[in-house]
Amino acid sequence: MTATTIDKDEIARFTAMAETWWDPNGKFKPLHKFNPVRLAYIRNEAIDHFGRDGTSRRPFEGLSLLDIGCGGGLLSEPMARLGATVTGADASERNIAIAKIHAEGAGLDIDYVATTAEALADAGKEFDVVLNMEVVEHVADVPLYLKSCARLVRPGGLMFLATINRTAKAFALAIVGAEYVLGWLPRGTHSYAKFLTPEEIVSILSREGLTIRDRTGVTYSPLRDEWGRSRDMSVNYMLLAQKPKG
């Protein structure tokens, strides 16, 4: 059998929730809350790396961008509005269908495809920016997935990655708290055994020729009811990796 990163149970779980992707008070409410900090990080770091004008409304004009595991398009659409040529990929055909409908309604030209990272890499696709956000903890074969994602980054390009650390604190907050106590996420959304430490991800990406430019924690403030960047990487964290120009 051909190796695959698809976890059928994970795909089924997110497919079942696909209709609620764009409901800010629905099952994906945590991602809607999380989106501003993700978007600001991606925008600022990409502008700095590619030497773009931060005052422009479309600073990503001319950049190709892949949103792998795009879901309903919560990141793909803002990236298209910033001027990037966006490809949104997801293994769930229902997610892609929802994303296409929403993008069409918003008047955005986004190339949504139901496929996997390894299929895109095997097809020789490359992008200036690869968004790998909240996906790695849901795949079946992490080394294959990260290797495929690394292959998709064009020389000189960037990969943004966000996930959850494998710590006792993460188990308490991201699973017990978010799923069982507060009900922010449906129970079973995350499996502690599939969480990865920053060191584990950095090790794999380094073997695939990427260098880590930045790492940052992301924490939630209940008083402000918002997420923000932090030095604390013990629960949620983001990494920024670059492929050398060669």
Side-chain angles (χ1 to χ4, degrees), residues 5-6 11 21 38 42 65-76 79 86-92 95-96 110-121 125 127 129-139 144-146 148-150 152-153 158-162:
T5 62
I6 292 177
I11 299 303
W21 270 108
R38 299 193 301 177
I42 295 164
L65 182 145
L66 171 66
D67 182 8
I68 192 73
C70 64
L74 299 187
L75 282 174
S76 294
M79 294 298 108
V86 178
T87 298
D90 198 284
S92 166
N95 284 347
I96 291 298
I110 298 173
D111 181 20
Y112 282 118
V113 288
T115 189
T116 62
E118 61 269 24
L120 289 170
K125 302 292 185 180
F127 302 86
V129 179
V130 172
L131 302 186
N132 183 358
M133 312 296 277
E134 288 78 42
V135 181
V136 69
E137 69 268 27
H138 299 292
V139 303
L144 173 61
Y145 174 71
L146 290 177
S148 300
C149 289
L152 291 166
V153 182
L158 299 175
M159 180 196 297
F160 292 85
L161 187 149

Side-chain angles (χ1 to χ4, degrees), residues 35-54:
N35 231 19
V37 69
R38 299 193 301 177
L39 293 172
Y41 186 62
I42 295 164
R43 183 183 185 279
N44 294 340
E45 292 293 340
I47 283 175
D48 179 67
H49 177 72
F50 293 105
R52 298 307 178 96
D53 181 3

